[in-house]
């Protein structure tokens, strides 16, 4: 058994174990390995066989199918891999399963190289900078050379290249430089296999010839004309059967060549082609023949136009399909991401609710331990009342928000109706102001008879309804009584207010004392500070005020989910329910 090359074995191991983005740079090492062996020797064949057996050529093909703009090294790396793939395939004789190599692997390699050539051609046409254009043109030339090298080593691939749709798309271009390179590839195909045009199907043959004739008729560039003329001459020389096709299918070709391309610098090849065409055509040229030639020319131009139009739409359709696929995939990814975020938020909310509930129960148990047994029922009633109020507040807020969302459309319609009515009123007001004012007409005067009758009615009414009169002494007495009652009311209200303040102060003092007694340590543990607390009235008040201040600060630092029910409350205002729990026993200045 032959010993495998250790370099290839190590490279295959690295490619298998490496990341996807590092594989192209590793495969470039094959170039040094191939150039290290002498051309045509058994060592080089053995290296190519090992490269194929280790599936390194398959890796090269997979890399060529990727987006080359994202490869490490970019297009230069892809072009070098294409050159490596071509050199590895030429001179390789597969002994195990040769049918797969010749019928599947080689056609796939040709297809990948042509696709790479199409991408480079498109980039070359779109690029504006001269330096980038030169780079893409050089890379395009290298890829075409790799294709020529490949079908030069395997002659049966010449027909495969011609029948490939990508080759026809490369040929159908208005760019001069890339078109000349593609026509040189076609010339190389004819040199390698002169009968290849007879092996392909008729539709492909007609498409190639139509494009060559179209280039001769649609341009005046001598470079394109020289390349197309040489190609047609090669077709006529290598395939004698196709000369009859050229003369029958393109009746005006001879006139076109002689009138448009004579004296352009390639008269020798042009004259040879015209001689071959004239040999196949009779001398008689009547009116019907000229009409037939014109019809053939129109048809050729029309077919070329239709073919280019159809091929130009193909990349757009593929691009639209890819765009829609990427948009759908992006939408699905966004949906999955949002779903995961919602689930995480829901789980976090559940954990926070459980933690808050546990803390609430722990605090409630601690309060129950501290509170005297006689006040447990009262404390539980207060807690139930506060809980009920909180639930009712949240429910009213939710119901009001839902009602607002339901009435939003009607509110919008109402506002629109108000705006329309306001505009209509303004319009009518302006219109009314524009009307000319009629001359003022004063009221008609009363006659003497009407004036006497009206005076008689007034006197009769006064007699029937005499006015009540009060003496001055009675008015003063009534005023004095009203003043006395007002003074009594003010004095009584002031006394009641002072009594209420005194009761509130005494009640707050009792509550403070009760709380101090409940929180006071035992006699065995008491100190002088505890004595000062009971002896001074300001120390407990200050301590309670500090505790209330801390409670208000804590409320301002609450997380957002604890403030969901307080949309109407301002940021710097603490709810009364939260303050009552902490301030109900504070004694400040005689008030609760």
């Amino acid at each position: 058994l032959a010993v495998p090359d250790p370099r290839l074995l190590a490279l295959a191991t690295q490619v298998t174990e490496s990341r996807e983005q590092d594989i192209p740079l590793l495969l470039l090492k094959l170039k040094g390995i191939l150039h290290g062996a002498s051309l045509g020797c058994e060592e080089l064949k053995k290296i190519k066989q090992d490269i194929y057996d280790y599936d390194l050529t398959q890796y090269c093909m997979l890399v060529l199918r990727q987006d080359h703009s994202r490869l490490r090294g970019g297009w230069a790396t892809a072009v070098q891999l294409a050159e490596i793939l071509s050199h590895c395939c030429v001179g390789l004789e597969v002994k195990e399963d040769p049918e797969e190599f010749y019928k599947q692997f080689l056609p796939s390699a040709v297809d990948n190289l042509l696709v790479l050539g199409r991408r480079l051609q498109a980039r070359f046409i779109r690029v504006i900078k001269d330096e980038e254009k030169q780079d893409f043109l050089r890379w395009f030339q290298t890829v075409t050379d790799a294709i020529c090298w490949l079908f030069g080593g395997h002659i049966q691939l010449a027909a495969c290249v011609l029948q490939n749709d990508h080759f026809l798309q490369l040929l159908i271009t208005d760019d001069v430089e890339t078109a000349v390179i593609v026509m040189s590839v076609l010339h190389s195909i004819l040199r390698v296999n002169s009968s290849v045009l007879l092996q392909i199907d008729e539709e492909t043959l007609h498409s190639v010839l139509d494009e060559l004739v179209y280039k001769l008729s649609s341009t005046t560039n001598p470079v394109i004309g020289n390349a197309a003329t040489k190609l047609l001459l090669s077709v006529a020389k290598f395939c004698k059967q196709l000369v009859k096709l050229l003369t029958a299918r393109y009746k005006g070709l001879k006139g076109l060549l002689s009138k448009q391309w004579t004296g352009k610098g390639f008269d020798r090849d042009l004259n040879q082609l015209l001689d071959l065409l004239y040999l196949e055509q009779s001398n008689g040229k009547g009116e019907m023949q000229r009409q037939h030639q014109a019809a053939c020319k129109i048809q050729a131009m029309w077919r070329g136009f239709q073919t280019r139009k159809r091929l130009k739409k193909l990349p757009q359709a593929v691009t639209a399909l890819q765009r829609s696929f990427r948009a759908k995939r992006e939408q699905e990814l966004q949906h999955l991401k949002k779903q995961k975020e919602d689930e995480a938020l829901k789980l976090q909310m559940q954990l926070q609710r459980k933690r808050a509930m546990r803390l609430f129960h722990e605090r409630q148990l601690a309060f129950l331990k501290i509170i005297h047994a006689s006040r447990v029922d009262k404390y539980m009633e207060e807690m139930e009342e506060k809980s009920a109020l909180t639930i009712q507040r949240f429910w009213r807020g939710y119901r009001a928000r839902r009602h607002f969302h339901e009435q939003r459309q009607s509110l919008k319609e109402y506002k629109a109706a108000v705006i329309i009515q306001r505009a209509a009123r303004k319009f009518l007001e302006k219109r009314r102001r524009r009307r000319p004012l009629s001359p003022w007409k004063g009221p008609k005067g009363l006659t003497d008879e009407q004036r006497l009758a009206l005076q008689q009615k007034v006197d009769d009414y006064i007699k029937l309804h005499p006015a009540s009169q009060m003496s001055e002494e009675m008015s003063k007495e009534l005023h004095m009584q009203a003043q006395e009652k007002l003074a009594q009311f003010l004095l009584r209200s002031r006394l009641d207010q002072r009594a209420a303040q005194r009761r509130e102060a005494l009640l707050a003092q009792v509550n403070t004392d009760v709380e101090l007694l409940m929180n006071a340590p035992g006699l065995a543990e008491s100190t002088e500070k505890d004595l000062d607390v009971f002896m001074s009235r300001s120390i407990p008040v200050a301590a309670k005020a500090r505790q209330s201040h801390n409670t208000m600060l804590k409320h301002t630092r609450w997380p957002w989910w604890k403030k969901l029910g307080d949309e109407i409350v301002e940021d710097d205002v603490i709810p009364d329910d939260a303050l009552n729990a902490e301030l109900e026993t504070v004694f400040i200045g005689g008030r609760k």
Side-chain angles (χ1 to χ4, degrees):
L1 295 176
V3 179
D5 194 333
R7 296 175 298 175
L8 293 176
L9 185 60
L11 181 59
T13 304
Q14 292 179 1
V15 169
T16 306
E17 297 176 354
S18 299
R19 298 178 300 176
E20 183 178 357
Q21 56 268 26
D22 297 331
I23 292 177
L25 296 180
L26 292 175
L27 293 175
L28 292 180
K29 296 180 180 179
L30 293 174
K31 190 173 183 179
I33 296 174
L34 291 172
H35 290 173
S38 59
L39 187 64
C41 67
E42 293 296 326
E43 181 184 359
L44 182 60
K45 293 182 179 179
K46 181 63 174 59
I47 289 174
K48 292 181 179 179
Q49 184 66 40
D50 291 339
I51 291 173
Y52 180 78
D53 292 339
Y54 288 143
D55 290 334
L56 295 177
T57 52
Q58 294 285 353
Y59 277 106
C60 291
M61 289 177 58
L62 292 175
V63 171
L64 290 178
R65 294 173 186 172
Q66 298 177 3
D67 186 5
H68 309 303
S69 60
R70 298 181 181 179
L71 288 178
R72 296 183 63 181
W75 295 98
T77 302
V79 171
Q80 293 182 29
L81 291 178
E83 193 176 4
I84 291 171
L85 178 62
S86 176
H87 282 280
C88 289
C89 293
V90 176
L92 177 61
E93 298 178 359
V94 179
K95 298 179 180 179
E96 297 181 2
D97 198 3
E99 185 177 359
E100 179 183 0
F101 175 74
Y102 290 105
K103 293 186 178 180
Q104 297 181 8
F105 181 80
L106 289 179
S108 179
V110 169
D111 186 76
N112 288 328
L113 293 177
L114 289 173
V115 170
L116 178 59
R118 280 196 61 200
R119 293 177 179 175
L120 290 172
Q121 186 187 51
R123 291 283 182 142
F124 171 76
I125 294 172
R126 290 198 300 265
V127 166
I128 300 176
K129 296 182 180 179
D130 293 334
E131 295 180 0
E132 295 181 359
K133 288 184 76 71
Q134 293 300 324
D135 291 336
F136 279 107
L137 184 62
R138 186 177 67 255
W139 293 335
F140 181 76
Q141 181 69 54
T142 304
V143 173
T144 54
D145 292 340
I147 296 173
C148 294
W149 180 263
L150 186 58
F151 66 71
H154 301 279
I155 301 176
Q156 72 276 10
L157 292 179
C160 181
V161 172
L162 282 178
Q163 291 179 345
N164 197 296
D165 294 335
H166 299 297
F167 179 77
L168 185 59
Q169 293 170 2
L170 287 172
L171 185 62
I172 301 174
T173 180
D174 296 330
D175 183 72
V176 177
E177 298 173 342
T178 57
V180 171
I181 294 174
V182 176
M183 286 191 285
S184 67
V185 174
L186 183 56
H187 197 273
S188 301
I189 292 174
L190 293 176
R191 284 202 309 268
V192 171
N193 188 357
S194 58
S195 61
V196 66
L197 294 177
L198 300 177
Q199 299 174 3
I200 62 177
D201 57 278
E202 186 178 2
E203 183 179 358
T204 303
L205 176 61
H206 290 173
S207 299
V208 173
L209 294 178
D210 289 345
E211 185 58 27
L212 293 177
V213 174
Y214 174 78
K215 290 184 183 299
L216 288 173
S217 61
S218 64
T219 183
T220 57
N221 194 321
V223 179
I224 295 291
N226 186 15
T229 303
K230 287 184 178 179
L231 265 178
L232 289 177
L233 181 60
S234 300
V235 170
K237 284 183 177 180
F238 293 145
C239 306
K240 300 296 183 181
Q241 296 89 336
L242 296 180
V243 179
K244 186 180 295 184
L245 177 62
L246 289 174
T247 55
R249 186 175 176 86
Y250 312 105
K251 297 293 184 179
L253 180 59
K254 295 182 294 298
L256 174 67
L257 293 174
S258 60
K259 291 180 181 180
Q260 186 172 342
W261 297 106
T262 302
K264 298 292 185 179
F266 49 93
D267 290 342
R268 180 180 178 183
D269 296 332
L270 183 62
N271 293 330
Q272 292 181 11
L273 178 60
L274 288 173
D275 292 339
L276 291 174
L277 294 176
Y278 276 118
L279 289 175
E280 293 294 332
Q281 188 179 13
S282 62
N283 295 327
K285 294 182 179 180
E287 186 66 22
M288 294 296 295
Q289 188 176 4
R290 287 195 297 271
Q291 293 179 1
H292 187 67
Q293 291 175 355
C296 289
K297 182 178 179 180
I298 294 172
Q299 290 175 1
M301 294 181 68
W302 174 252
R303 292 191 189 98
F305 170 73
Q306 287 292 335
T307 304
R308 282 190 299 276
K309 184 178 179 181
R310 186 169 59 254
L311 292 176
K312 283 181 180 179
K313 288 182 179 180
L314 183 61
Q316 296 177 0
V318 174
T319 304
L321 181 62
Q322 292 176 349
R323 189 186 302 112
S324 61
F325 173 74
R326 293 192 188 99
K328 185 177 180 181
R329 184 174 60 184
E330 184 67 21
Q331 186 177 3
E332 292 178 354
L333 292 176
Q334 292 291 339
H335 178 69
L336 291 175
K337 183 179 179 181
K338 184 178 180 182
Q339 188 176 2
K340 290 181 180 179
E341 291 178 354
D342 293 341
E343 292 178 356
L345 181 61
K346 185 177 180 181
L347 180 60
Q348 186 179 5
M349 291 290 291
Q350 290 178 355
L351 292 176
Q352 291 179 354
R353 287 171 184 168
K354 290 181 180 179
R355 190 180 297 113
M357 187 64 69
R358 185 171 62 252
L359 292 175
F360 172 74
H361 288 306
E362 291 177 356
R363 192 182 304 165
Q364 192 173 17
L365 290 175
F367 275 124
L368 291 175
K369 290 180 181 179
I370 295 172
I371 296 174
H372 195 268
S374 61
R375 298 189 61 190
V376 171
D377 295 337
K378 182 179 180 181
Y379 173 75
M380 294 302 294
E381 289 178 359
E382 292 178 355
M383 292 302 296
E384 289 177 357
E385 184 178 357
K386 291 179 182 179
S387 301
L389 291 175
T390 303
I391 294 172
Q392 291 174 0
R393 185 174 66 252
F394 275 93
W395 167 249
R396 292 191 189 98
Y398 166 74
R399 185 175 59 186
R401 287 190 296 273
R402 186 180 63 182
H403 181 70
F404 173 74
H405 286 296
E406 291 175 354
Q407 298 297 327
R408 180 178 293 178
Q409 184 63 26
S410 60
L411 181 61
K412 188 183 296 184
E413 294 176 357
Y414 173 75
K415 289 182 178 179
V418 170
I419 293 172
I420 294 172
Q421 291 175 359
R422 186 185 301 118
R425 291 192 189 98
K426 288 182 178 179
F427 171 75
L428 294 175
E429 182 67 22
K430 290 180 180 179
R431 189 173 180 182
R432 186 183 60 80
R433 290 177 181 176
R434 290 175 185 173
R435 292 177 181 175
L437 297 175
S438 60
W440 181 79
K441 296 180 181 180
K444 295 182 180 180
L446 296 175
T447 62
D448 295 337
E449 296 178 357
Q450 291 176 348
R451 192 178 292 106
L452 291 174
L454 185 60
Q455 185 64 35
Q456 183 65 33
K457 289 181 180 180
V458 172
D459 295 338
D460 294 341
Y461 183 83
I462 292 174
K463 290 179 181 179
L464 292 174
H465 303 85
S468 59
Q469 296 181 357
M470 183 180 292
S471 62
E472 186 177 355
E473 292 79 6
M474 293 178 63
S475 296
K476 290 181 179 181
E477 184 179 357
L478 183 60
H479 178 71
M480 292 299 296
Q481 292 177 2
Q483 290 293 330
E484 291 178 0
K485 290 182 178 181
L486 179 61
Q488 292 176 3
F489 172 76
L490 293 176
L491 180 61
R492 188 168 57 253
S493 62
R494 191 178 293 109
L495 293 175
D496 294 340
Q497 186 177 3
R498 289 179 180 177
Q501 290 179 355
R502 191 178 297 107
R503 284 195 301 272
E504 291 178 0
L506 290 175
L507 183 60
Q509 183 177 359
V510 169
N511 290 333
T512 305
D513 293 339
V514 169
E515 186 174 355
L516 288 174
L517 289 173
M518 290 178 65
N519 296 330
L523 293 176
E525 300 174 355
S526 60
T527 59
E528 293 183 0
K529 293 183 179 180
D530 298 331
L531 260 186
D532 294 337
V533 169
F534 288 98
M535 302 252 335
S536 173
R537 302 303 302 171
S538 60
I539 292 178
V541 170
K544 204 63 183 178
R546 190 184 305 110
Q547 184 179 1
S548 302
H549 178 68
N550 293 333
T551 302
M552 288 188 288
L553 290 179
K554 183 178 180 182
H555 182 272
T556 57
R557 295 170 184 171
W558 275 357
W560 61 269
W561 53 270
K562 282 190 176 183
K563 298 181 180 180
L564 287 177
D566 301 331
E567 294 89 357
I568 305 176
V569 182
E570 298 178 356
D571 294 337
D572 55 346
V573 178
I574 308 301
D576 294 339
D577 295 339
L579 290 177
N580 290 339
E582 301 294 338
L583 301 178
E584 62 181 358
T585 58
V586 179
F587 178 77
I588 301 175
R591 288 184 176 273
K592 185 177 177 180

